[in-house]
Amino acid sequence: MEHIDGGRVRRHLFGDRLPRWTVIGSVVGLLGLASVAFLLGVGVRLYDFRGWLVIVPGTAVIAGILGAGLVPTVGTLWLISLWGYAFPPLVGYLSGEWMGAGRYTSPRMLGFAYGSARAELLGGLETSVNFGLALAVLVGTTGYVAGSVIRWMATRIRSA
């Protein structure tokens, strides 16, 4: 049985510097692009089923393949969740163009709606902490482990 030392655990938790910053920078860049697109009126739906089905798990698997670390992986996935639940209502709140069922409201997976822009924003923040963080941990851990296994298998195949 192989001995697991602190350095190996730290590398799996926090990753190597370049892959870690590559994943963080990519997600921040994606969210920046999504923010500009949203402000220009494009229907950006990172938090829809397609986003959580493709972009989020794909990010986790790529982070695992690169060895970016579990903590940065979960953190970036939660950042995507936070953006989806809080950015649209924040824009509506700050611009004063909030409406009950418009593009400035946060996604309502449970079918509820808030009565004001401020309540919509606070509800989006609460949902991203309660639901988004748990989902980021679950999807991030699963995807990161899958990516790590792919990286491990590729290393074994190359060395054989």
Side-chain angles (χ1 to χ4, degrees), residues 62-158:
I62 290 170
I65 291 171
L66 295 176
L70 184 59
V71 172
T73 301
V74 170
T76 55
L77 298 187
W78 180 71
L79 192 59
I80 293 171
S81 169
L82 178 66
W83 184 92
Y85 282 106
F87 187 77
L90 177 64
V91 171
Y93 179 69
L94 294 177
S95 67
E97 295 182 22
W98 180 82
M99 54 188 148
R103 67 185 225 114
Y104 297 110
T105 58
S106 66
R108 292 182 194 90
M109 295 182 182
L110 299 176
F112 60 89
Y114 295 101
S116 70
R118 182 177 185 278
E120 187 78 28
L121 176 60
L122 293 175
L125 291 172
E126 180 183 355
T127 302
S128 71
V129 171
N130 293 339
F131 174 71
L133 185 58
L135 198 56
V137 168
L138 180 68
V139 173
T141 302
T142 305
Y144 185 80
V145 168
S148 296
V149 167
I150 292 169
R151 183 180 71 230
W152 177 80
M153 288 174 55
T155 304
R156 296 286 183 223
I157 291 171
R158 267 187 268 156

Side-chain angles (χ1 to χ4, degrees), residues 2-126:
E2 208 171 312
H3 177 69
I4 297 177
D5 60 1
R8 177 177 272 175
V9 171
R10 185 184 185 292
R11 190 169 7 112
H12 282 295
L13 285 178
F14 301 107
D16 296 325
R17 176 172 283 152
L18 182 61
R20 176 178 57 231
W21 287 110
T22 300
V23 169
I24 292 170
S26 297
V27 169
V28 168
L30 172 71
L31 293 179
L33 183 63
S35 298
V36 170
F38 184 83
L39 291 173
L40 293 175
V42 177
V44 179
R45 303 287 187 204
L46 288 177
Y47 45 80
D48 275 354
F49 185 69
R50 289 181 308 250
W52 275 94
L53 187 63
V54 177
I55 294 171
V56 171
T59 300
V61 170
I62 290 170
I65 291 171
L66 295 176
L70 184 59
V71 172
T73 301
V74 170
T76 55
L77 298 187
W78 180 71
L79 192 59
I80 293 171
S81 169
L82 178 66
W83 184 92
Y85 282 106
F87 187 77
L90 177 64
V91 171
Y93 179 69
L94 294 177
S95 67
E97 295 182 22
W98 180 82
M99 54 188 148
R103 67 185 225 114
Y104 297 110
T105 58
S106 66
R108 292 182 194 90
M109 295 182 182
L110 299 176
F112 60 89
Y114 295 101
S116 70
R118 182 177 185 278
E120 187 78 28
L121 176 60
L122 293 175
L125 291 172
E126 180 183 355

